[in-house]
C-alpha cells in the first residue's frame, strides 16, 4: 500500500510547515494548505525533491466555509481512502490588551479562524478520514492559552479554550469511527505568530522571546509526529509542552 496522506492546515509557516517537513522526511505524503499559494508551491517542490513524497497543495481561507468545502471537493481522486491524519493547525492571535479596549474586527478574526475555521475543515475532512482503512487521527493545535488565561489574552484565550473543548468533544463523537483525537497545547514558540499578533511590529514581536529560549516549530512537529506514530491501541489525548524557562502563561524566567 502506498504511504497515506497527512492533511495539514497552516502549512505556509511555523508549526504547520515544520510538520510538513518532518512527516515528509519520514515518507508520508501530504496535503498542505494555507492562504499564501506561492509559499505552498515552493514547499511542495522542496519536499517532493528532498523526500520523494507526493505533495498536494490546496489554497483556501479556513474562515470561508464555502471555500473550504470547494477546496476539499476538488482534491484529486487519488486521495480517496488515503487521508489518514488531519492536523488542525491554522490559527492566530490578533492584538493583546484589555477587553474593554478590544477591537471587534480582531476578535472576529480570531474566533472565525481558530474556532469556526477548525470546525469547517474538520467537518469537510472527517468523511475522508472515515474512508481510510487504517490509522485515523485528528491533531488539534491548542495552546497554553486554552488551559489558562493571561492579561490581555482574553479572546485569543477563549478561542483556544474552545479548541480544548472541541478536542474533548471530538474524542467522544468520533470514538465510534475509530478516529483518535489529540490536543497539543504549546507554550511560547518563536514562529510568525507574534509578528501576526502585533500586526507586523517586528520589534514588539521579538521582545516576546527576548531573554529566554522559546520553543521552536520543530519541537511541535516532533510532538505531532510522536502522537501520530503511537501503536493502534494508544492515543495521547493531550500534551502541554512548554519552554523550560516558562512555568505557566505568566511566569517566565528571563535573563
Ligand atoms: P504562524 O503565524 O507561523 O503560522 C500560522 C499558520 O496559520 C500560517 O501557515 C497561516 O497561513 C495559517 N493561517 C492563519 N490564518 C489562516 C486562515 N484564515 N486560513 C488558512 N490558514 C490560515 O504561527 P504558528 O505556527 O505559531 O501557529 C500555528 C498554530 O499554533 C496556531 O493555531 C496558533 O494559535 C498555535 N499556537 C502558537 C504558539 C506560538 O507561541 N507560536 C503557541 C501555542 C499555539 P496563511 O497566512 O498562508 O494563510
Ligand atoms: C500562543 C502562546 O502564550 O502567547 O498560543 O498564548 S501564548
Amino acid at each position: 500500500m502506498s504511504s497515506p496522506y497527512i492533511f495539514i492546515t497552516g502549512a505556509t509557516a511555523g508549526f504547520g510547515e515544520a510538520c510538513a517537513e518532518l512527516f515528509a522526511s519520514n515518507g508520508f505524503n501530504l496535503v498542505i494548505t494555507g492562504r499564501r499559494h506561492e509559499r505552498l508551491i515552493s514547499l511542495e517542490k522542496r519536499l517532493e525533491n528532498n523526500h520523494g513524497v507526493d505533495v498536494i497543495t490546496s489554497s483556501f481561507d479556513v474562515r470561508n466555509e464555502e471555500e473550504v468545502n470547494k477546496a476539499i471537493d476538488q482534491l484529486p481522486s487519488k486521495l480517496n481512502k488515503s487521508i489518514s491524519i488531519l492536523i488542525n493547525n491554522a490559527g492566530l492571535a490578533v492584538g493583546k490588551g484589555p477587553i474593554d479596549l478590544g477591537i471587534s474586527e480582531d476578535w472576529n478574526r480570531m474566533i472565525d479562524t481558530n474556532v469556526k475555521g477548525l470546525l469547517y475543515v474538520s467537518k469537510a475532512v472527517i468523511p475522508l478520514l472515515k474512508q481510510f482503512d487504517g490509522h485515523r487521527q485528528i491533531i488539534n493545535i491548542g495552546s497554553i492559552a486554552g488551559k489558562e488565561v493571561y492579561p490581555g489574552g482574553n479572546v485569543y484565550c477563549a478561542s483556544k479554550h474552545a479548541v480544548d473543548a472541541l478536542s474533548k468533544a471530538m474524542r467522544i463523537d468520533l470514538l465510534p469511527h475509530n478516529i483518535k483525537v489529540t490536543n497539543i497545547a504549546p507554550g511560547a514558540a518563536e514562529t510568525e505568530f507574534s509578528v501576526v499578533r502585533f500586526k507586523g511590529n517586528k520589534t514588539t514581536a521579538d521582545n516576546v522571546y527576548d531573554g529566554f529560549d522559546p520553543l521552536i516549530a520543530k519541537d511541535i512537529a516532533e510532538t505531532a509526529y510522536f502522537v501520530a506514530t503511537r501503536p493502534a491501541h494508544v492515543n495521547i489525548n493531550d500534551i502541554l509542552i512548554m519552554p523550560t524557562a516558562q512555568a505557566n502563561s505568566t511566569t517566565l524566567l528571563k535573563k
Side-chain angles (χ1 to χ4, degrees):
M1 196 183 93
S2 63
S3 180
Y5 286 77
I6 315 294
F7 189 113
I8 305 172
T9 67
T12 57
F15 300 165
E17 182 178 2
C19 285
E21 185 73 58
L22 185 60
F23 278 90
S25 71
N26 283 284
F28 286 92
N29 297 316
L30 300 173
V31 181
I32 54 172
T33 75
R35 288 165 301 178
R36 286 170 287 181
H37 182 67
E38 312 71 40
R39 284 200 186 194
L40 290 176
I41 297 300
S42 82
L43 184 59
E44 173 192 19
K45 290 200 179 112
R46 191 173 88 224
L47 297 180
E48 287 191 339
N49 289 338
N50 291 350
H51 306 298
V53 294
D54 187 32
V55 180
I56 309 289
T57 64
S58 180
S59 184
F60 57 85
D61 187 328
V62 298
R63 291 172 296 179
N64 183 327
E65 187 173 17
E66 217 176 293
E67 241 184 71
V68 169
N69 290 335
K70 197 168 156 206
I72 290 164
D73 279 351
Q74 287 175 348
L75 289 173
S77 59
K78 66 178 171 182
L79 290 181
N80 290 346
K81 303 187 180 172
S82 296
I83 298 181
S84 166
I85 298 174
L86 164 63
I87 304 183
N88 272 320
N89 162 74
L92 79 181
V94 195
K96 189 177 180 188
I99 201 149
D100 50 314
L101 301 180
I103 299 169
S104 49
E105 193 192 330
D106 295 349
W107 295 348
N108 291 339
R109 275 180 70 194
M110 290 187 272
I111 292 168
D112 290 351
T113 308
N114 300 350
V115 184
K116 291 161 75 180
L118 179 144
L119 286 169
Y120 299 151
V121 172
S122 301
K123 188 175 176 202
V125 175
I126 287 167
L128 306 179
L129 294 179
K130 286 183 188 169
Q131 292 172 1
F132 184 70
D133 185 17
H135 177 127
R136 304 164 174 180
Q137 186 162 15
I138 296 178
I139 299 173
N140 290 329
I141 304 297
S143 171
I144 177 70
K147 307 284 184 189
E148 301 171 20
V149 290
Y150 55 83
N154 42 66
V155 175
Y156 178 67
C157 294
S159 74
K160 288 298 182 177
H161 273 69
V163 173
D164 200 80
L166 287 170
S167 295
K168 290 176 186 151
M170 284 177 167
R171 197 171 302 121
I172 297 168
D173 294 347
L174 300 177
L175 186 62
H177 306 290
N178 206 23
I179 299 177
K180 299 182 186 187
V181 179
T182 299
N183 187 71
I184 298 179
E190 190 161 12
T191 59
E192 294 178 9
F193 176 83
S194 289
V195 178
V196 172
R197 174 172 232 171
F198 297 112
K199 304 179 180 177
N201 186 330
K202 185 91 175 54
T203 311
T204 309
D206 287 347
N207 281 343
V208 174
Y209 310 107
D210 271 356
F212 75 106
D213 286 332
L215 297 171
I216 57 170
K218 188 167 171 242
D219 298 320
I220 305 311
E222 286 174 348
T223 307
Y225 190 76
F226 173 78
V227 304
T229 51
R230 293 310 83 213
H233 68 288
V234 176
N235 182 44
I236 309 288
N237 284 1
D238 202 352
I239 291 192
L240 179 58
I241 170 172
M242 308 288 279
T244 304
Q246 184 178 17
N248 62 24
S249 269
T250 50
T251 315
L252 263 167
L253 187 64
K254 288 209 177 198
K255 283 177 221 128

